[in-house]
Structure formats: structure tokens, C-alpha cells
Amino acid sequence: MTMLEYVLQQLPYHAPLLAVYLIGFIISLVQLGRHPRPSVIVLVACGLLFLASVLALLAHGYLFSSVKDQNLGFEAFRRWQVVVAAVVSLLHVTGLSLLLVAAFVGRKGVVRDDAASLGSREPADGPGV
């Protein structure tokens, strides 16, 4: 199986995630004027997530074609699979972490009094009345 055959075979399985990353990228571009800081963070996050998915797809395609075309041995294949998995995992963790940061960056906390924050349900006249 060639690298292109592998990528084309696997692309439908990756397409939903790639579409979500692209949509997130586009939405953050649209919101850049209204919410600059979170939009930039989401742009970077979606870019990293997209890159990680495409990199994984291409790297696996290359490795599988190398087994056949270049007689890549099992041990070398396994080592490269570990490297690819580590890099892709690191990119995913970074992208998802940035999305979490973007959700809370620039938010102002709501000041509540003690009764409201504790969820008090006592009547207005006070307890026992």
C-alpha cells in the first residue's frame, strides 16, 4: 500500500475532526475583532490540533509504505511509531490545553454574597418564623 493509498483510505475517518478544527479556526477568525485574546488562542489551538491530525495521518502512511517499499524492520517501525505517537500526543495536549485557557481568559468573576454562594433557601422572614 502506498502512502497516498493509505491517506486516502484513512481520510474519511479523520475528516470529522479536521472539519471541526477548520470550523473552530474560521469562527475564531470571525470573532477576532470582538474577542481578540481568546480568538488568537483558539486560532493557535485549532491550528495545532489540525496539524497533529494531519501529521499523524501522513506519518503513519509513510511508515506503512516504508515497511513494504524500504523493507523497514519491525523494531525500526515500532520505534518510529512511538516517536510519532509522542509528538502527536504532545501537539494534541497543547492544543486542548489552549482551548481550555481560551474558555476562561479575560473573564471577570462574579461577586456573590455568602447566602447566594452557599445556595441558602431560607425564607425572607428568617429561620423558624
Side-chain angles (χ1 to χ4, degrees):
M1 173 179 294
T2 68
M3 181 176 162
L4 180 61
E5 289 171 337
Y6 177 84
V7 169
L8 291 176
Q9 180 187 36
Q10 295 298 312
L11 194 57
Y13 302 108
H14 290 262
L17 278 176
L18 294 174
V20 168
Y21 300 150
L22 285 175
I23 290 169
F25 196 85
I26 291 167
I27 290 172
S28 60
L29 280 175
V30 170
Q31 294 295 319
L32 197 56
R34 289 182 65 195
H35 308 287
R37 193 178 312 160
S39 293
V40 167
I41 295 171
V42 171
L43 276 170
V44 172
C46 287
L48 280 175
L49 291 167
F50 188 87
L51 176 70
S53 293
V54 170
L55 177 68
L57 186 60
L58 294 174
H60 286 118
Y62 177 76
L63 286 174
F64 286 126
S65 68
S66 293
V67 168
K68 178 184 168 198
D69 299 339
Q70 299 172 8
N71 294 327
L72 185 66
F74 176 75
E75 275 304 310
F77 177 79
R78 189 185 62 76
R79 279 193 306 270
W80 279 110
Q81 284 284 76
V82 169
V83 169
V84 168
V87 170
V88 168
S89 181
L90 183 63
L91 289 172
H92 271 115
V93 165
T94 304
L96 291 172
S97 298
L98 286 171
L99 285 178
L100 289 173
V101 168
F104 299 106
V105 70
R107 308 281 183 185
K108 294 181 180 168
V110 177
V111 178
R112 298 182 180 171
D113 63 358
D114 287 344
S117 66
L118 294 175
S120 176
R121 303 232 185 241
E122 295 183 9
D125 293 339
V129 176

